[in-house]
Amino acid sequence: MTTTLYMVLPCYNEELVLDETAKRLSVKFDSLLASGQISDSSRICFVNDGSKDATWEKIAALHAAHPERFSGINLSRNRGHQNALLAGLMTVKDVPGVDVTISMDADLQDDIEAIDAMLEKFTSEACDVVYGVRDNRDTDTAFKRGTAGAFYGLMKSLGSESVPNSADFRLMSKRALEGLSEFHEVNLFLRGMVPLVGFKHDIVYYKRGERFAGESKYPLKKMISFAIDGITSMSATPMRYIFWVGLIAFIGAIIAGIIVIINHFVGHTASGWPSLMVLVTAFGGLQLLALGVIGEYIGKIFLEVKNRPRYIIQDFLNK
Ligand code: UDP
Ligand code: MG
């Protein structure tokens, strides 16, 4: 019995890269078919995340020309990378006969050649999840390398299990996807959620290339908010840190108060204005920071409580 594989690629304004991506993946599919690693019901599924350009038209055209190769999912509007990816995975998991999915970015930054190794771990070693892990960050700017390193370090110290240097290039079996579908959260951080699904897993190293056309949809601002989302949707530890900082500050304030009283009786009444200003502003700042962190969590609770749909599918082209 051969494996039925669905590739899932979220696309937002990717008209410049789609044809090339489709071509290269199709070549890969031909060789996987020839070697009997995948069945002929396998598909390459593009998810259009509410693109403003001709991305969906291109996907629909690919499907029309080669329905035995390409599928397409059209979301009702832009919902962001993580939601688009989840929409794709949850939709294809319910296609009859699907055994396994591999998700990757549409810009070919993830190495197509790693697909064989991923499939191998699924078929021979019975892994339900295989993470693509980049073995170096040569193609990144020093800045992105540094911030990414700091981010994974922070995630780890906060108790989130995400696999360092793995993005969303990942194999997941049908069983693992069923597990993922039990996670109903609205604030999605898939690379933190998938390790929580469990099952046997492994990693495959690959070299992450440069985006070959178009531009990144993750400018600095989005990158920072993705990192904050990642931390606050996976861990409540920052709130505990606030508690400790508050406690230490409180103890410090009591000690300072005692010193002030002693000073008063000993007779050196300090002029004290500068130190007072420093303390007032320091604590004012600290309180705002603490409120900000708590606010971030309340915002997340607000979104979870509303329980709005994570995506709405407009069309699913799959034959
Ligand atoms: N993407 C998406 N919806 C968005 C933003 C991005 O589906 O709102 C897709 C995008 O088309 C690409 C993937 O997410 O396939 C990763 O985006 P990008 O390559 O721009 O990020 P980078 O590699 O620069 O981090
Ligand atoms: Mg990219």
Side-chain angles (χ1 to χ4, degrees), residues 105 107 109 208 211:
D105 289 352
D107 56 10
Q109 282 191 279
R208 192 166 162 91
R211 170 180 268 279

Side-chain angles (χ1 to χ4, degrees), residues 80-142:
H81 178 200
Q82 299 288 294
N83 294 62
L85 182 52
L86 187 78
L89 292 173
M90 291 301 118
T91 307
V92 304
K93 112 179 144 44
D94 294 328
V95 172
V98 171
D99 299 308
V100 68
T101 59
I102 295 179
S103 52
M104 65 190 290
D105 289 352
D107 56 10
L108 290 180
Q109 282 191 279
D110 302 327
D111 182 13
I112 290 181
E113 299 311 319
I115 292 174
D116 303 66
M118 287 183 166
L119 279 175
E120 183 62 24
K121 293 215 180 278
F122 170 73
T123 44
S124 318
E125 298 173 29
C127 288
D128 282 277
V129 181
V130 183
Y131 300 96
V133 173
R134 42 200 301 195
D135 58 1
N136 65 56
R137 283 182 171 267
D138 291 351
T139 53
D140 277 359
T141 59

Side-chain angles (χ1 to χ4, degrees), residues 7-288:
M7 300 281 312
V8 177
L9 299 95
C11 310
Y12 177 59
N13 294 345
E14 299 287 12
E15 63 178 2
L16 291 174
V17 306
L18 253 179
D19 289 327
E20 183 64 20
T21 304
K23 203 167 87 198
R24 290 203 215 164
L25 268 178
S26 203
V27 171
K28 181 89 242 167
F29 258 51
D30 284 334
S31 83
L32 290 170
L33 269 171
S35 63
Q37 280 170 282
I38 59 172
S39 77
D40 56 11
S41 329
S42 301
R43 296 282 182 277
I44 299 163
C45 182
F46 293 105
V47 182
N48 174 38
D49 185 19
S51 301
K52 294 185 187 70
D53 63 5
T55 299
W56 177 244
E57 286 69 27
K58 290 209 162 194
I59 297 171
L62 281 168
H63 172 76
H66 300 285
E68 77 295 343
R69 179 59 46 93
F70 300 107
S71 297
I73 295 171
N74 193 17
L75 300 190
S76 62
R77 53 158 295 156
N78 179 252
R79 295 292 289 120
H81 178 200
Q82 299 288 294
N83 294 62
L85 182 52
L86 187 78
L89 292 173
M90 291 301 118
T91 307
V92 304
K93 112 179 144 44
D94 294 328
V95 172
V98 171
D99 299 308
V100 68
T101 59
I102 295 179
S103 52
M104 65 190 290
D105 289 352
D107 56 10
L108 290 180
Q109 282 191 279
D110 302 327
D111 182 13
I112 290 181
E113 299 311 319
I115 292 174
D116 303 66
M118 287 183 166
L119 279 175
E120 183 62 24
K121 293 215 180 278
F122 170 73
T123 44
S124 318
E125 298 173 29
C127 288
D128 282 277
V129 181
V130 183
Y131 300 96
V133 173
R134 42 200 301 195
D135 58 1
N136 65 56
R137 283 182 171 267
D138 291 351
T139 53
D140 277 359
T141 59
F143 177 74
K144 190 155 183 174
R145 233 178 297 155
T147 48
F151 173 69
Y152 286 110
L154 186 62
M155 286 295 277
K156 193 152 178 241
S157 70
L158 294 177
S160 174
E161 284 182 45
S162 74
V163 180
N165 292 326
S166 70
D168 287 301
F169 184 27
R170 184 170 49 224
L171 172 144
M172 288 183 81
S173 69
K174 164 128 177 150
R175 188 161 71 153
L177 290 173
E178 298 285 2
L180 185 64
S181 71
E182 300 290 324
F183 289 70
H184 299 290
E185 59 215 75
V186 176
N187 296 286
L188 291 176
F189 188 66
L190 289 171
R191 62 191 77 166
M193 288 159 68
V194 175
L196 299 177
V197 174
F199 294 115
K200 186 175 178 196
H201 63 88
D202 207 341
I203 55 181
V204 162
Y205 288 100
Y206 74 101
K207 212 173 156 62
R208 192 166 162 91
E210 309 249 15
R211 170 180 268 279
F212 71 90
E215 54 187 32
S216 171
K217 275 81 192 171
Y218 277 100
L220 183 63
K221 199 166 147 237
K222 258 183 148 178
M223 230 166 74
I224 293 173
S225 72
F226 185 57
I228 292 177
D229 276 346
I231 290 166
T232 53
S233 62
M234 296 312 294
S235 160
T237 312
M239 291 213 273
R240 191 146 326 132
Y241 284 174
I242 289 179
F243 169 78
W244 287 112
V245 172
L247 189 69
I248 292 165
F250 182 63
I251 293 171
I254 289 177
I255 295 171
I258 292 171
I259 292 171
V260 166
I261 292 169
I262 293 173
N263 275 348
H264 177 74
F265 285 112
V266 175
H268 342 253
T269 320
S271 50
W273 189 80
S275 53
L276 200 67
M277 279 314 283
V278 168
L279 284 178
V280 167
T281 45
F283 282 101
L286 201 63
Q287 281 168 356
L288 285 180

